[in-house]
Amino acid sequence: MTEANDTLAKLDAAADWVRQRSGRVPVLGIVAGSGLGALAGLVEEATRIPYAQIPHALSPTVIGHAGELVLGKLSGLDVAVLSGRVHGYEGHPTEDVVFNVRLVARLGAKRFLVTNAAGGVDPWLMPGMLCRIVDHLNLTGKNPLTGPNVAALGPRFPDMSKPYAPALGAVLERAAERAGVTLHAGVYAGLTGPSYETPAEIRMLRVLGANLVGMSTVHEVIALNHMGVEVTGLSCVTNHAAGVSSAPLDHAEVAQIADEAGPKLLALVRAFAGLLAEKSN
Ligand code: HPA
């Protein structure tokens, strides 16, 4: 297990290294999930840094995940986009999975938008719909804060009563109106994967109060809450979850639907950054 000092030293080494490549202090961090990498293409005056070059950062191995940090401007706001993420199912310790979001928070981002591709647990959730994540169920059996607490990052027992900040969620809702995009809302269940769920597991998730299901996000949101970062979340529904329809689940299809929802998502994120830029001026 990594010592607390180790975690901090690695983060600071990575942050110093990034600062030498771009002096930009991001106000907003954005995680671009499966098939949503086009988000990184929106960034202007961009400095693109492959994760592979950043000291101590891991690179994703999944198709559809680019693996680069993009610093620049979006709708006039200083942003850092994490294009592609590392997942626990790739075999990495949870603490390493959250390294990149912690890095962006260390660079200065006090707010974060996390996006993902998700299965619709409720039958009314159709492929291509966008959903604001209002809360989550961490069903991975893991927590990125396990081990010695890094007190310089946050408290031992962080409050999780507002994991997705209502005020920031309200900005996302307004951005959806402005962009003319329909935005639904739901609770996201994070499971380990990499196998998709069984129909019985999806029925269980429904009973537990989940509307969406995926294999990411929850650990990042815990690590960001620990650091006092305000988070909002956005799921692109890429498929009916197992058993909701009789079709088998396929990663290529998930990536394709995420791709097709791209323009809606981009318009929404652009409007969201624009509203935050207006607020900060
Ligand atoms: N289950 C888990 N993860 C997912 C799904 C799903 O149905 N769709 C996209 N990511």
Side-chain angles (χ1 to χ4, degrees):
M1 186 175 297
T2 347
E3 289 304 317
N5 288 342
D6 232 43
T7 303
L8 202 58
K10 284 181 181 172
L11 273 174
D12 284 342
D16 285 344
W17 187 91
V18 171
R19 280 193 205 99
Q20 281 165 23
R21 268 122 200 113
S22 168
R24 203 178 286 281
V25 177
V27 172
L28 176 71
I30 301 174
V31 182
S34 284
L36 306 175
L39 268 177
L42 288 184
V43 178
E44 291 161 4
E45 302 169 33
T47 304
R48 296 173 188 281
I49 307 173
Y51 298 157
Q53 291 178 8
I54 303 174
H56 312 296
L58 298 172
S59 296
T61 55
V62 191
I63 298 163
H65 283 260
E68 60 176 11
L69 168 64
V70 183
L71 290 150
K73 287 259 183 208
L74 179 59
S75 306
L77 194 74
D78 284 311
V79 298
V81 179
L82 290 163
S83 182
R85 51 155 68 88
V86 179
H87 295 80
Y89 59 69
E90 293 171 74
H92 305 299
T94 321
E95 183 177 316
D96 293 346
V97 168
V98 301
F99 187 85
N100 289 344
V101 294
R102 279 178 162 166
L103 167 61
V104 169
R106 284 298 267 184
L107 289 172
K110 301 262 188 304
R111 290 172 160 168
F112 243 89
L113 169 67
V114 292
T115 72
N116 58 43
V121 171
D122 291 323
W124 60 269
L125 284 166
M126 296 293 161
M129 282 184 174
L130 298 181
C131 257
R132 180 166 74 86
I133 304 173
V134 294
D135 203 343
H136 76 217
L137 297 163
N138 173 14
L139 299 176
T140 65
K142 291 188 183 149
N143 190 301
L145 309 181
T146 301
N149 183 45
V150 188
L153 298 184
R156 171 75 294 187
F157 301 109
D159 174 45
M160 287 292 286
S161 59
K162 290 179 183 148
Y164 299 82
L168 200 57
V171 178
L172 193 61
E173 295 282 352
R174 255 190 300 163
E177 276 170 36
R178 186 180 271 199
V181 168
T182 306
L183 185 60
H184 304 274
V187 173
Y188 177 92
L191 277 69
T192 59
S195 52
Y196 287 112
E197 303 70 35
T198 64
E201 285 164 347
I202 295 300
R203 287 196 297 275
M204 171 190 76
L205 293 179
R206 205 173 291 137
V207 171
L208 295 181
N211 309 107
L212 302 153
V213 60
M215 306 173 191
S216 67
T217 305
V218 292
H219 297 139
E220 293 159 0
V221 172
I222 291 169
L224 290 168
N225 272 266
H226 179 235
M227 294 176 80
V229 174
E230 268 188 275
V231 180
T232 192
L234 186 57
S235 282
C236 172
V237 179
T238 50
N239 56 279
H240 290 295
V244 176
S245 87
S246 55
L249 300 189
D250 172 40
H251 178 69
E253 220 172 287
V254 165
Q256 191 199 326
I257 296 286
D259 211 42
E260 284 168 15
K264 262 196 319 190
L265 184 101
L266 298 194
L268 174 54
V269 175
R270 206 194 282 272
F272 178 65
L275 282 172
L276 290 179
E278 283 169 24
K279 276 176 84 165
S280 63
N281 285 333

